[in-house]
Amino acid sequence: MGKKFLGALLSMAMVSMLMVGCGGGQPAATNTNAPEGDTAAAEETTSAGGDGDLITVGFSQVGAESDWRVANTQSMKESLSEANGFELIFADAQQKQENQIKAVRDFISQEVDVIVIAPVTETGWETVLGEAKDAEIPVIVVDRQLDVSDDSLYTCWVGSDFYQEGINAVDWLTKYMDGLGRGEEDLNVAVLQGTIGSSAEIGRTKGVRDELEKHSNYKIVAEQTGEFTQAKGQEVMESFLKSGEDIDILIAQNDNMAFGAIDALKAVGKDPGEDVVIVSFDAVKAAFDSMIAGDMNVSVECNPLHGPRVAELAKKIMNGEEVEKIQYVEEGVYPADTAAETLPSRAY
Ligand code: GYE
């Protein structure tokens, strides 16, 4: 089968990267002092703090909107445990920045040692971060980035290069369509975006657009947010289908929205993975099941296992050590033909 043959070629398409930089908000070119990529190994290093006192961490999490987020929360809770020398105050913002701002103010009044924020959106942080700075509480930003004019408002950030993920997705897609012999066809693309204004959405949208622009036969015919949830992904895909637009390719900015869209396609008698090529992000375990079932064609990895890195950063900061300002994590691209082989080794 063409698909299988192509799969063999594309198993070469594993893209991995590890970049570590300093300052600024953009991907940095330098690669010094890379953080431990092996999360299990990093976990080992998070032993209890020197004088036996626990480090109090207030963590404002986005919510529980996706499998990725659930895995991220679990990783953070496991690493910021008492056994590892932490007392964790966890606050779920239910995807609302106003809840995060309130949580950060609570952390400040509780005089925590370190504040950790996984921001819902990039903007609107100046005031509350200024309050944390005045209180001399270091802030670690995790996952999505912040867009602030003054970088000194937070100590460091660790997460993914979402723009690169968008590029990687389209790079895989165009090679895949070439392999199907459809690379020169006029191809209609629908995009399910994540939460508008989140860096995961901003980066993936721009990466996908920039890379698609290099191929004039690919046209984005529909683009709307599905808020990173399965239910909204399904609802928006239903509306795309109702509009009567012929869709060849769906790019869903996370797996959960792709799952919803796959259900919507099946409900109208379409065969996802064949009639509509499904490109997704995150590479959670359920995406591998979907790929094995032949519904999803590829998932671009976004690693949620930030707990060990954040624990290590918090300890270094508390010890007065310098830390890298910006740290990107290592990620791959997982096409359907490698899914069965890869699934047993997936950690989330
Ligand atoms: O892709 C999505 C989650 O910010 C990287 O948020 C994260 C994204 C992830 O809801 O599943």
Side-chain angles (χ1 to χ4, degrees), residues 262-301:
I262 285 167
D263 289 344
L265 284 163
K266 286 183 177 170
V268 297
K270 292 207 187 263
D271 183 358
E274 286 283 347
D275 297 337
V276 178
V277 172
I278 311 284
V279 176
S280 183
F281 294 84
D282 284 355
V284 297
K285 272 185 183 162
F288 285 79
D289 293 332
S290 178
M291 288 192 274
I292 291 166
D295 293 338
M296 186 184 283
N297 302 79
V298 69
S299 193
V300 176
E301 186 181 37

PDB file of all heavy atoms in Angstrom, residues 262-301:
ATOM      1  N   ILE A 262     -12.219  14.009  14.535  1.00  0.00           N
ATOM      2  CA  ILE A 262     -12.309  12.659  13.957  1.00  0.00           C
ATOM      3  C   ILE A 262     -13.732  12.118  14.163  1.00  0.00           C
ATOM      4  O   ILE A 262     -14.333  11.554  13.239  1.00  0.00           O
ATOM      5  CB  ILE A 262     -11.223  11.739  14.596  1.00  0.00           C
ATOM      6  CG1 ILE A 262      -9.856  12.102  14.007  1.00  0.00           C
ATOM      7  CG2 ILE A 262     -11.552  10.262  14.407  1.00  0.00           C
ATOM      8  CD1 ILE A 262      -8.653  11.507  14.739  1.00  0.00           C
ATOM      9  N   ASP A 263     -14.278  12.329  15.348  1.00  0.00           N
ATOM     10  CA  ASP A 263     -15.672  11.899  15.606  1.00  0.00           C
ATOM     11  C   ASP A 263     -16.632  12.615  14.666  1.00  0.00           C
ATOM     12  O   ASP A 263     -17.564  11.998  14.137  1.00  0.00           O
ATOM     13  CB  ASP A 263     -16.068  12.191  17.066  1.00  0.00           C
ATOM     14  CG  ASP A 263     -15.364  11.262  18.048  1.00  0.00           C
ATOM     15  OD1 ASP A 263     -14.817  10.224  17.596  1.00  0.00           O
ATOM     16  OD2 ASP A 263     -15.350  11.574  19.257  1.00  0.00           O
ATOM     17  N   ALA A 264     -16.404  13.912  14.466  1.00  0.00           N
ATOM     18  CA  ALA A 264     -17.293  14.691  13.583  1.00  0.00           C
ATOM     19  C   ALA A 264     -17.217  14.159  12.147  1.00  0.00           C
ATOM     20  O   ALA A 264     -18.239  14.064  11.452  1.00  0.00           O
ATOM     21  CB  ALA A 264     -16.909  16.171  13.621  1.00  0.00           C
ATOM     22  N   LEU A 265     -16.026  13.800  11.709  1.00  0.00           N
ATOM     23  CA  LEU A 265     -15.852  13.278  10.342  1.00  0.00           C
ATOM     24  C   LEU A 265     -16.561  11.930  10.197  1.00  0.00           C
ATOM     25  O   LEU A 265     -17.273  11.683   9.218  1.00  0.00           O
ATOM     26  CB  LEU A 265     -14.360  13.132  10.013  1.00  0.00           C
ATOM     27  CG  LEU A 265     -13.636  14.441   9.704  1.00  0.00           C
ATOM     28  CD1 LEU A 265     -12.125  14.271   9.809  1.00  0.00           C
ATOM     29  CD2 LEU A 265     -14.005  14.946   8.307  1.00  0.00           C
ATOM     30  N   LYS A 266     -16.374  11.072  11.192  1.00  0.00           N
ATOM     31  CA  LYS A 266     -17.009   9.746  11.132  1.00  0.00           C
ATOM     32  C   LYS A 266     -18.528   9.878  11.100  1.00  0.00           C
ATOM     33  O   LYS A 266     -19.213   9.117  10.413  1.00  0.00           O
ATOM     34  CB  LYS A 266     -16.576   8.896  12.327  1.00  0.00           C
ATOM     35  CG  LYS A 266     -15.132   8.401  12.195  1.00  0.00           C
ATOM     36  CD  LYS A 266     -14.748   7.507  13.363  1.00  0.00           C
ATOM     37  CE  LYS A 266     -13.339   6.957  13.168  1.00  0.00           C
ATOM     38  NZ  LYS A 266     -12.831   6.273  14.360  1.00  0.00           N
ATOM     39  N   ALA A 267     -19.034  10.860  11.841  1.00  0.00           N
ATOM     40  CA  ALA A 267     -20.489  11.052  11.918  1.00  0.00           C
ATOM     41  C   ALA A 267     -21.098  11.413  10.566  1.00  0.00           C
ATOM     42  O   ALA A 267     -22.286  11.168  10.332  1.00  0.00           O
ATOM     43  CB  ALA A 267     -20.820  12.131  12.952  1.00  0.00           C
ATOM     44  N   VAL A 268     -20.299  11.977   9.670  1.00  0.00           N
ATOM     45  CA  VAL A 268     -20.844  12.297   8.338  1.00  0.00           C
ATOM     46  C   VAL A 268     -20.338  11.291   7.290  1.00  0.00           C
ATOM     47  O   VAL A 268     -20.381  11.547   6.088  1.00  0.00           O
ATOM     48  CB  VAL A 268     -20.533  13.753   7.893  1.00  0.00           C
ATOM     49  CG1 VAL A 268     -21.198  14.759   8.819  1.00  0.00           C
ATOM     50  CG2 VAL A 268     -19.022  14.012   7.805  1.00  0.00           C
ATOM     51  N   GLY A 269     -19.865  10.159   7.771  1.00  0.00           N
ATOM     52  CA  GLY A 269     -19.481   9.071   6.864  1.00  0.00           C
ATOM     53  C   GLY A 269     -18.123   9.236   6.199  1.00  0.00           C
ATOM     54  O   GLY A 269     -17.809   8.543   5.232  1.00  0.00           O
ATOM     55  N   LYS A 270     -17.304  10.138   6.709  1.00  0.00           N
ATOM     56  CA  LYS A 270     -15.956  10.304   6.127  1.00  0.00           C
ATOM     57  C   LYS A 270     -14.964   9.431   6.886  1.00  0.00           C
ATOM     58  O   LYS A 270     -15.169   9.108   8.055  1.00  0.00           O
ATOM     59  CB  LYS A 270     -15.527  11.768   6.191  1.00  0.00           C
ATOM     60  CG  LYS A 270     -16.339  12.661   5.267  1.00  0.00           C
ATOM     61  CD  LYS A 270     -15.520  13.864   4.844  1.00  0.00           C
ATOM     62  CE  LYS A 270     -16.356  14.851   4.068  1.00  0.00           C
ATOM     63  NZ  LYS A 270     -16.220  14.710   2.614  1.00  0.00           N
ATOM     64  N   ASP A 271     -13.884   9.091   6.217  1.00  0.00           N
ATOM     65  CA  ASP A 271     -12.865   8.237   6.806  1.00  0.00           C
ATOM     66  C   ASP A 271     -11.639   9.093   7.176  1.00  0.00           C
ATOM     67  O   ASP A 271     -10.803   9.393   6.315  1.00  0.00           O
ATOM     68  CB  ASP A 271     -12.483   7.154   5.763  1.00  0.00           C
ATOM     69  CG  ASP A 271     -11.460   6.170   6.316  1.00  0.00           C
ATOM     70  OD1 ASP A 271     -11.029   6.340   7.480  1.00  0.00           O
ATOM     71  OD2 ASP A 271     -11.076   5.253   5.570  1.00  0.00           O
ATOM     72  N   PRO A 272     -11.537   9.492   8.458  1.00  0.00           N
ATOM     73  CA  PRO A 272     -10.370  10.308   8.847  1.00  0.00           C
ATOM     74  C   PRO A 272      -9.094   9.499   8.684  1.00  0.00           C
ATOM     75  O   PRO A 272      -9.066   8.302   8.963  1.00  0.00           O
ATOM     76  CB  PRO A 272     -10.630  10.636  10.319  1.00  0.00           C
ATOM     77  CG  PRO A 272     -11.642   9.655  10.789  1.00  0.00           C
ATOM     78  CD  PRO A 272     -12.423   9.193   9.591  1.00  0.00           C
ATOM     79  N   GLY A 273      -8.046  10.156   8.244  1.00  0.00           N
ATOM     80  CA  GLY A 273      -6.795   9.440   7.973  1.00  0.00           C
ATOM     81  C   GLY A 273      -6.671   9.091   6.495  1.00  0.00           C
ATOM     82  O   GLY A 273      -5.570   8.932   5.982  1.00  0.00           O
ATOM     83  N   GLU A 274      -7.810   8.986   5.806  1.00  0.00           N
ATOM     84  CA  GLU A 274      -7.825   8.677   4.368  1.00  0.00           C
ATOM     85  C   GLU A 274      -8.484   9.827   3.599  1.00  0.00           C
ATOM     86  O   GLU A 274      -7.827  10.497   2.814  1.00  0.00           O
ATOM     87  CB  GLU A 274      -8.623   7.382   4.113  1.00  0.00           C
ATOM     88  CG  GLU A 274      -7.894   6.126   4.525  1.00  0.00           C
ATOM     89  CD  GLU A 274      -6.803   5.696   3.541  1.00  0.00           C
ATOM     90  OE1 GLU A 274      -6.756   6.217   2.409  1.00  0.00           O
ATOM     91  OE2 GLU A 274      -5.976   4.842   3.928  1.00  0.00           O
ATOM     92  N   ASP A 275      -9.790  10.041   3.847  1.00  0.00           N
ATOM     93  CA  ASP A 275     -10.509  11.117   3.132  1.00  0.00           C
ATOM     94  C   ASP A 275      -9.972  12.488   3.541  1.00  0.00           C
ATOM     95  O   ASP A 275      -9.906  13.414   2.734  1.00  0.00           O
ATOM     96  CB  ASP A 275     -12.008  11.078   3.457  1.00  0.00           C
ATOM     97  CG  ASP A 275     -12.662   9.788   2.994  1.00  0.00           C
ATOM     98  OD1 ASP A 275     -12.108   9.142   2.081  1.00  0.00           O
ATOM     99  OD2 ASP A 275     -13.716   9.429   3.546  1.00  0.00           O
ATOM    100  N   VAL A 276      -9.676  12.594   4.808  1.00  0.00           N
ATOM    101  CA  VAL A 276      -9.088  13.844   5.326  1.00  0.00           C
ATOM    102  C   VAL A 276      -7.820  13.458   6.095  1.00  0.00           C
ATOM    103  O   VAL A 276      -7.879  12.642   7.022  1.00  0.00           O
ATOM    104  CB  VAL A 276     -10.070  14.590   6.260  1.00  0.00           C
ATOM    105  CG1 VAL A 276      -9.425  15.850   6.825  1.00  0.00           C
ATOM    106  CG2 VAL A 276     -11.372  14.933   5.534  1.00  0.00           C
ATOM    107  N   VAL A 277      -6.701  14.005   5.701  1.00  0.00           N
ATOM    108  CA  VAL A 277      -5.433  13.734   6.392  1.00  0.00           C
ATOM    109  C   VAL A 277      -5.436  14.527   7.706  1.00  0.00           C
ATOM    110  O   VAL A 277      -5.735  15.724   7.708  1.00  0.00           O
ATOM    111  CB  VAL A 277      -4.228  14.136   5.502  1.00  0.00           C
ATOM    112  CG1 VAL A 277      -2.910  14.039   6.270  1.00  0.00           C
ATOM    113  CG2 VAL A 277      -4.191  13.256   4.245  1.00  0.00           C
ATOM    114  N   ILE A 278      -5.142  13.837   8.801  1.00  0.00           N
ATOM    115  CA  ILE A 278      -5.213  14.493  10.117  1.00  0.00           C
ATOM    116  C   ILE A 278      -3.797  14.697  10.680  1.00  0.00           C
ATOM    117  O   ILE A 278      -3.066  13.739  10.954  1.00  0.00           O
ATOM    118  CB  ILE A 278      -6.016  13.643  11.135  1.00  0.00           C
ATOM    119  CG1 ILE A 278      -7.371  13.189  10.550  1.00  0.00           C
ATOM    120  CG2 ILE A 278      -6.172  14.401  12.453  1.00  0.00           C
ATOM    121  CD1 ILE A 278      -8.449  14.229  10.477  1.00  0.00           C
ATOM    122  N   VAL A 279      -3.462  15.966  10.873  1.00  0.00           N
ATOM    123  CA  VAL A 279      -2.166  16.356  11.448  1.00  0.00           C
ATOM    124  C   VAL A 279      -2.449  16.964  12.816  1.00  0.00           C
ATOM    125  O   VAL A 279      -3.322  17.825  12.940  1.00  0.00           O
ATOM    126  CB  VAL A 279      -1.468  17.402  10.543  1.00  0.00           C
ATOM    127  CG1 VAL A 279      -0.163  17.884  11.170  1.00  0.00           C
ATOM    128  CG2 VAL A 279      -1.227  16.837   9.150  1.00  0.00           C
ATOM    129  N   SER A 280      -1.728  16.500  13.825  1.00  0.00           N
ATOM    130  CA  SER A 280      -2.038  16.964  15.171  1.00  0.00           C
ATOM    131  C   SER A 280      -0.765  17.282  15.955  1.00  0.00           C
ATOM    132  O   SER A 280       0.345  17.075  15.462  1.00  0.00           O
ATOM    133  CB  SER A 280      -2.864  15.875  15.865  1.00  0.00           C
ATOM    134  OG  SER A 280      -3.249  16.280  17.144  1.00  0.00           O
ATOM    135  N   PHE A 281      -0.958  17.768  17.167  1.00  0.00           N
ATOM    136  CA  PHE A 281       0.168  18.143  18.040  1.00  0.00           C
ATOM    137  C   PHE A 281      -0.036  17.545  19.434  1.00  0.00           C
ATOM    138  O   PHE A 281      -1.168  17.383  19.865  1.00  0.00           O
ATOM    139  CB  PHE A 281       0.252  19.672  18.198  1.00  0.00           C
ATOM    140  CG  PHE A 281       0.599  20.403  16.935  1.00  0.00           C
ATOM    141  CD1 PHE A 281      -0.394  20.726  16.026  1.00  0.00           C
ATOM    142  CD2 PHE A 281       1.912  20.764  16.654  1.00  0.00           C
ATOM    143  CE1 PHE A 281      -0.093  21.421  14.861  1.00  0.00           C
ATOM    144  CE2 PHE A 281       2.225  21.452  15.490  1.00  0.00           C
ATOM    145  CZ  PHE A 281       1.220  21.781  14.595  1.00  0.00           C
ATOM    146  N   ASP A 282       1.020  17.314  20.120  1.00  0.00           N
ATOM    147  CA  ASP A 282       1.135  16.822  21.504  1.00  0.00           C
ATOM    148  C   ASP A 282       1.742  15.420  21.543  1.00  0.00           C
ATOM    149  O   ASP A 282       2.644  15.165  22.306  1.00  0.00           O
ATOM    150  CB  ASP A 282      -0.193  16.789  22.297  1.00  0.00           C
ATOM    151  CG  ASP A 282      -0.650  18.163  22.776  1.00  0.00           C
ATOM    152  OD1 ASP A 282       0.102  19.149  22.574  1.00  0.00           O
ATOM    153  OD2 ASP A 282      -1.765  18.262  23.336  1.00  0.00           O
ATOM    154  N   ALA A 283       1.169  14.481  20.752  1.00  0.00           N
ATOM    155  CA  ALA A 283       1.630  13.075  20.793  1.00  0.00           C
ATOM    156  C   ALA A 283       1.401  12.444  22.161  1.00  0.00           C
ATOM    157  O   ALA A 283       2.299  11.823  22.737  1.00  0.00           O
ATOM    158  CB  ALA A 283       3.086  12.953  20.337  1.00  0.00           C
ATOM    159  N   VAL A 284       0.167  12.599  22.664  1.00  0.00           N
ATOM    160  CA  VAL A 284      -0.209  11.894  23.898  1.00  0.00           C
ATOM    161  C   VAL A 284      -0.529  10.439  23.537  1.00  0.00           C
ATOM    162  O   VAL A 284      -0.731  10.111  22.363  1.00  0.00           O
ATOM    163  CB  VAL A 284      -1.421  12.570  24.592  1.00  0.00           C
ATOM    164  CG1 VAL A 284      -1.075  13.979  25.030  1.00  0.00           C
ATOM    165  CG2 VAL A 284      -2.664  12.572  23.690  1.00  0.00           C
ATOM    166  N   LYS A 285      -0.579   9.591  24.559  1.00  0.00           N
ATOM    167  CA  LYS A 285      -0.799   8.155  24.301  1.00  0.00           C
ATOM    168  C   LYS A 285      -2.032   7.901  23.435  1.00  0.00           C
ATOM    169  O   LYS A 285      -1.991   7.075  22.522  1.00  0.00           O
ATOM    170  CB  LYS A 285      -0.951   7.409  25.630  1.00  0.00           C
ATOM    171  CG  LYS A 285       0.363   6.947  26.195  1.00  0.00           C
ATOM    172  CD  LYS A 285       0.134   6.107  27.450  1.00  0.00           C
ATOM    173  CE  LYS A 285       1.474   5.713  28.051  1.00  0.00           C
ATOM    174  NZ  LYS A 285       1.374   5.278  29.431  1.00  0.00           N
ATOM    175  N   ALA A 286      -3.124   8.587  23.728  1.00  0.00           N
ATOM    176  CA  ALA A 286      -4.363   8.346  22.973  1.00  0.00           C
ATOM    177  C   ALA A 286      -4.200   8.687  21.494  1.00  0.00           C
ATOM    178  O   ALA A 286      -4.906   8.138  20.639  1.00  0.00           O
ATOM    179  CB  ALA A 286      -5.518   9.140  23.584  1.00  0.00           C
ATOM    180  N   ALA A 287      -3.269   9.565  21.169  1.00  0.00           N
ATOM    181  CA  ALA A 287      -3.007   9.888  19.761  1.00  0.00           C
ATOM    182  C   ALA A 287      -2.365   8.691  19.066  1.00  0.00           C
ATOM    183  O   ALA A 287      -2.617   8.427  17.891  1.00  0.00           O
ATOM    184  CB  ALA A 287      -2.100  11.109  19.659  1.00  0.00           C
ATOM    185  N   PHE A 288      -1.545   7.960  19.816  1.00  0.00           N
ATOM    186  CA  PHE A 288      -0.919   6.758  19.234  1.00  0.00           C
ATOM    187  C   PHE A 288      -1.994   5.707  18.954  1.00  0.00           C
ATOM    188  O   PHE A 288      -1.964   5.046  17.921  1.00  0.00           O
ATOM    189  CB  PHE A 288       0.186   6.232  20.162  1.00  0.00           C
ATOM    190  CG  PHE A 288       1.423   7.089  20.101  1.00  0.00           C
ATOM    191  CD1 PHE A 288       1.499   8.292  20.790  1.00  0.00           C
ATOM    192  CD2 PHE A 288       2.497   6.708  19.302  1.00  0.00           C
ATOM    193  CE1 PHE A 288       2.620   9.104  20.708  1.00  0.00           C
ATOM    194  CE2 PHE A 288       3.632   7.508  19.208  1.00  0.00           C
ATOM    195  CZ  PHE A 288       3.690   8.713  19.913  1.00  0.00           C
ATOM    196  N   ASP A 289      -2.970   5.579  19.874  1.00  0.00           N
ATOM    197  CA  ASP A 289      -4.087   4.644  19.630  1.00  0.00           C
ATOM    198  C   ASP A 289      -4.833   5.064  18.368  1.00  0.00           C
ATOM    199  O   ASP A 289      -5.211   4.234  17.549  1.00  0.00           O
ATOM    200  CB  ASP A 289      -5.065   4.656  20.822  1.00  0.00           C
ATOM    201  CG  ASP A 289      -4.433   4.081  22.083  1.00  0.00           C
ATOM    202  OD1 ASP A 289      -3.518   3.235  21.957  1.00  0.00           O
ATOM    203  OD2 ASP A 289      -4.849   4.483  23.187  1.00  0.00           O
ATOM    204  N   SER A 290      -5.057   6.373  18.233  1.00  0.00           N
ATOM    205  CA  SER A 290      -5.783   6.893  17.076  1.00  0.00           C
ATOM    206  C   SER A 290      -5.001   6.639  15.781  1.00  0.00           C
ATOM    207  O   SER A 290      -5.579   6.307  14.743  1.00  0.00           O
ATOM    208  CB  SER A 290      -6.024   8.396  17.293  1.00  0.00           C
ATOM    209  OG  SER A 290      -6.677   8.951  16.206  1.00  0.00           O
ATOM    210  N   MET A 291      -3.680   6.771  15.866  1.00  0.00           N
ATOM    211  CA  MET A 291      -2.853   6.514  14.675  1.00  0.00           C
ATOM    212  C   MET A 291      -2.862   5.026  14.338  1.00  0.00           C
ATOM    213  O   MET A 291      -2.962   4.645  13.167  1.00  0.00           O
ATOM    214  CB  MET A 291      -1.415   7.019  14.907  1.00  0.00           C
ATOM    215  CG  MET A 291      -1.331   8.540  14.890  1.00  0.00           C
ATOM    216  SD  MET A 291       0.369   9.149  14.822  1.00  0.00           S
ATOM    217  CE  MET A 291       0.815   9.184  16.547  1.00  0.00           C
ATOM    218  N   ILE A 292      -2.798   4.180  15.371  1.00  0.00           N
ATOM    219  CA  ILE A 292      -2.817   2.729  15.135  1.00  0.00           C
ATOM    220  C   ILE A 292      -4.157   2.335  14.503  1.00  0.00           C
ATOM    221  O   ILE A 292      -4.214   1.481  13.621  1.00  0.00           O
ATOM    222  CB  ILE A 292      -2.543   1.969  16.459  1.00  0.00           C
ATOM    223  CG1 ILE A 292      -1.082   2.192  16.891  1.00  0.00           C
ATOM    224  CG2 ILE A 292      -2.847   0.471  16.306  1.00  0.00           C
ATOM    225  CD1 ILE A 292      -0.767   1.802  18.322  1.00  0.00           C
ATOM    226  N   ALA A 293      -5.236   3.007  14.918  1.00  0.00           N
ATOM    227  CA  ALA A 293      -6.566   2.733  14.351  1.00  0.00           C
ATOM    228  C   ALA A 293      -6.704   3.287  12.930  1.00  0.00           C
ATOM    229  O   ALA A 293      -7.722   3.058  12.263  1.00  0.00           O
ATOM    230  CB  ALA A 293      -7.641   3.328  15.259  1.00  0.00           C
ATOM    231  N   GLY A 294      -5.706   4.048  12.484  1.00  0.00           N
ATOM    232  CA  GLY A 294      -5.745   4.590  11.117  1.00  0.00           C
ATOM    233  C   GLY A 294      -6.500   5.903  10.990  1.00  0.00           C
ATOM    234  O   GLY A 294      -6.781   6.363   9.882  1.00  0.00           O
ATOM    235  N   ASP A 295      -6.832   6.530  12.114  1.00  0.00           N
ATOM    236  CA  ASP A 295      -7.620   7.770  12.063  1.00  0.00           C
ATOM    237  C   ASP A 295      -6.740   9.021  11.965  1.00  0.00           C
ATOM    238  O   ASP A 295      -7.089   9.993  11.303  1.00  0.00           O
ATOM    239  CB  ASP A 295      -8.492   7.899  13.324  1.00  0.00           C
ATOM    240  CG  ASP A 295      -9.577   6.839  13.367  1.00  0.00           C
ATOM    241  OD1 ASP A 295      -9.930   6.308  12.293  1.00  0.00           O
ATOM    242  OD2 ASP A 295     -10.061   6.533  14.481  1.00  0.00           O
ATOM    243  N   MET A 296      -5.633   9.011  12.684  1.00  0.00           N
ATOM    244  CA  MET A 296      -4.745  10.184  12.698  1.00  0.00           C
ATOM    245  C   MET A 296      -3.487   9.833  11.910  1.00  0.00           C
ATOM    246  O   MET A 296      -3.021   8.692  11.971  1.00  0.00           O
ATOM    247  CB  MET A 296      -4.405  10.526  14.160  1.00  0.00           C
ATOM    248  CG  MET A 296      -3.615  11.802  14.345  1.00  0.00           C
ATOM    249  SD  MET A 296      -3.153  12.057  16.084  1.00  0.00           S
ATOM    250  CE  MET A 296      -4.677  12.641  16.786  1.00  0.00           C
ATOM    251  N   ASN A 297      -2.943  10.797  11.177  1.00  0.00           N
ATOM    252  CA  ASN A 297      -1.775  10.502  10.340  1.00  0.00           C
ATOM    253  C   ASN A 297      -0.447  10.843  10.993  1.00  0.00           C
ATOM    254  O   ASN A 297       0.559  10.203  10.725  1.00  0.00           O
ATOM    255  CB  ASN A 297      -1.885  11.232   8.996  1.00  0.00           C
ATOM    256  CG  ASN A 297      -3.149  10.848   8.260  1.00  0.00           C
ATOM    257  OD1 ASN A 297      -4.218  11.350   8.584  1.00  0.00           O
ATOM    258  ND2 ASN A 297      -3.047   9.942   7.305  1.00  0.00           N
ATOM    259  N   VAL A 298      -0.448  11.858  11.833  1.00  0.00           N
ATOM    260  CA  VAL A 298       0.809  12.244  12.497  1.00  0.00           C
ATOM    261  C   VAL A 298       0.490  13.080  13.733  1.00  0.00           C
ATOM    262  O   VAL A 298      -0.529  13.780  13.771  1.00  0.00           O
ATOM    263  CB  VAL A 298       1.722  13.061  11.534  1.00  0.00           C
ATOM    264  CG1 VAL A 298       1.126  14.438  11.242  1.00  0.00           C
ATOM    265  CG2 VAL A 298       3.145  13.215  12.063  1.00  0.00           C
ATOM    266  N   SER A 299       1.348  12.982  14.742  1.00  0.00           N
ATOM    267  CA  SER A 299       1.253  13.912  15.860  1.00  0.00           C
ATOM    268  C   SER A 299       2.647  14.449  16.154  1.00  0.00           C
ATOM    269  O   SER A 299       3.602  13.687  16.305  1.00  0.00           O
ATOM    270  CB  SER A 299       0.642  13.255  17.101  1.00  0.00           C
ATOM    271  OG  SER A 299       0.311  14.266  18.041  1.00  0.00           O
ATOM    272  N   VAL A 300       2.732  15.764  16.187  1.00  0.00           N
ATOM    273  CA  VAL A 300       4.000  16.449  16.449  1.00  0.00           C
ATOM    274  C   VAL A 300       4.118  16.578  17.969  1.00  0.00           C
ATOM    275  O   VAL A 300       3.253  17.157  18.614  1.00  0.00           O
ATOM    276  CB  VAL A 300       4.019  17.839  15.783  1.00  0.00           C
ATOM    277  CG1 VAL A 300       5.281  18.609  16.130  1.00  0.00           C
ATOM    278  CG2 VAL A 300       3.869  17.686  14.273  1.00  0.00           C
ATOM    279  N   GLU A 301       5.181  16.043  18.495  1.00  0.00           N
ATOM    280  CA  GLU A 301       5.304  15.973  19.946  1.00  0.00           C
ATOM    281  C   GLU A 301       5.426  17.338  20.613  1.00  0.00           C
ATOM    282  O   GLU A 301       6.094  18.244  20.103  1.00  0.00           O
ATOM    283  CB  GLU A 301       6.536  15.145  20.321  1.00  0.00           C
ATOM    284  CG  GLU A 301       6.650  14.917  21.813  1.00  0.00           C
ATOM    285  CD  GLU A 301       7.890  14.123  22.175  1.00  0.00           C
ATOM    286  OE1 GLU A 301       8.946  14.317  21.529  1.00  0.00           O
ATOM    287  OE2 GLU A 301       7.809  13.319  23.097  1.00  0.00           O
TER     288      GLU A 301
END
